[in-house]
Amino acid sequence: MLEHAEKLKHEKASLTSVSDEDYFNSLTFANESIPTELTSVKQKLGKYLSKFSFKKQQSYQMHKQADKFLPQIAAILKSYGIPEDFKYVPLVESGLDPRVTSHKGAGGYWQFMPATARLYGLRVNAQVDDRVDFLKSTHAAARYLKSLYAEFGDWTLVAAAYNVGGGSLRASIRRQNESNYFKLRLNAETGSYVYKLVSVKEVIENPAKHGYRI
């Protein structure tokens, strides 16, 4: 009986491992596969999937905000030819709360810096701040993302550039002679950015797998 129990235990562990492997291999961002065969990539994905799970969040706020805003964001992004996965950017950036501001001065749904916001058609002054206007800021973000893609030609790099800025990312690519996001050495925030986007996407699209009862 003990031998049989031990055999069942090993079989269950093996099935779980295969299931996890299949799940990780199925993950994508902007219709591009993620190199989960790299141990470091798989470990970081596991870390952020856990971070955004119900066990850690203990809240359904992300899902409430997603239900309210994401369909409209997706429609606007589609009109500019931006992959739908970028609808998760403001969820990661601000939790879709326009009142959020960073210590560096970024603000609004998409956490635009004032200069970037103005560059893409938003008013930011003492009287008006279009960064907190959902429709105006989303159209501006779509224009910004489109311009980043025209420069980098890779949606994963576009996400990284959105976070760190195009100039900074260009410098990293040139200095390291490396254009693969998953192999670039970037600051901690940018180096985890795509993993956060993928993890939030998975938590919203597959809530039950991550402990949410929806």
Side-chain angles (χ1 to χ4, degrees):
M1 287 179 65
L2 288 173
E3 287 179 3
H4 182 64
E6 190 67 20
K7 182 180 178 182
L8 288 175
K9 180 180 177 182
H10 282 299
E11 286 177 351
K12 184 178 180 182
S14 177
L15 285 171
T16 301
S17 177
V18 170
S19 176
D20 286 348
E21 193 74 23
D22 288 344
Y23 174 67
F24 277 102
N25 289 340
S26 74
L27 300 180
T28 62
F29 176 72
N31 303 314
E32 297 174 2
S33 60
I34 296 171
T36 52
E37 68 277 5
L38 299 176
T39 302
S40 60
V41 170
K42 194 172 182 180
Q43 287 176 341
K44 288 183 81 170
L45 273 174
K47 173 184 174 181
Y48 286 101
L49 285 167
S50 174
K51 180 179 179 179
F52 290 109
S53 69
F54 181 76
K55 184 177 181 180
K56 293 292 180 68
Q57 297 290 321
Q58 295 291 308
S59 168
Y60 287 85
Q61 183 62 22
M62 276 196 303
H63 290 84
K64 290 178 182 177
Q65 293 295 84
D67 288 344
K68 183 178 180 181
F69 292 106
L70 294 194
Q72 199 167 0
I73 294 174
I76 292 170
L77 294 178
K78 184 178 180 180
S79 73
Y80 287 86
I82 309 298
E84 186 173 339
D85 285 353
F86 280 87
K87 69 185 180 183
Y88 296 105
V89 166
L91 199 54
V92 168
E93 289 282 349
S94 68
L96 283 165
D97 182 349
R99 299 166 297 179
V100 171
T101 57
S102 78
H103 68 281
K104 293 182 179 179
Y109 291 97
W110 290 82
Q111 290 294 284
F112 272 114
M113 292 295 287
T116 307
R118 294 187 189 103
L119 187 62
Y120 289 91
L122 300 180
R123 294 172 298 169
V124 182
N125 56 49
Q127 288 76 41
V128 182
D129 189 346
D130 285 338
R131 295 177 298 174
V132 302
D133 183 300
F134 173 68
L135 290 177
K136 288 180 180 178
S137 64
T138 300
H139 279 281
R143 290 192 292 271
Y144 183 30
L145 291 167
K146 190 170 184 176
S147 72
L148 289 173
Y149 185 75
E151 178 176 358
F152 292 100
D154 177 277
W155 289 114
T156 307
L157 290 178
V158 167
Y162 188 91
N163 178 256
V164 75
S168 180
L169 185 62
R170 279 195 304 274
S172 294
I173 290 171
R174 185 172 59 251
R175 186 170 57 251
Q176 298 174 41
N177 194 29
E178 176 61 72
S179 60
N180 184 327
Y181 169 82
F182 297 100
K183 295 180 179 179
L184 277 166
R185 297 185 303 279
L186 301 165
N187 69 70
E189 182 182 342
T190 307
S192 64
Y193 196 65
V194 171
Y195 297 92
K196 290 179 182 179
L197 290 173
V198 172
S199 298
V200 167
K201 169 190 171 182
E202 287 302 310
V203 162
I204 298 300
E205 295 184 3
N206 300 293
K209 185 170 182 63
H210 302 284
Y212 294 88
R213 296 181 179 180
I214 295 177

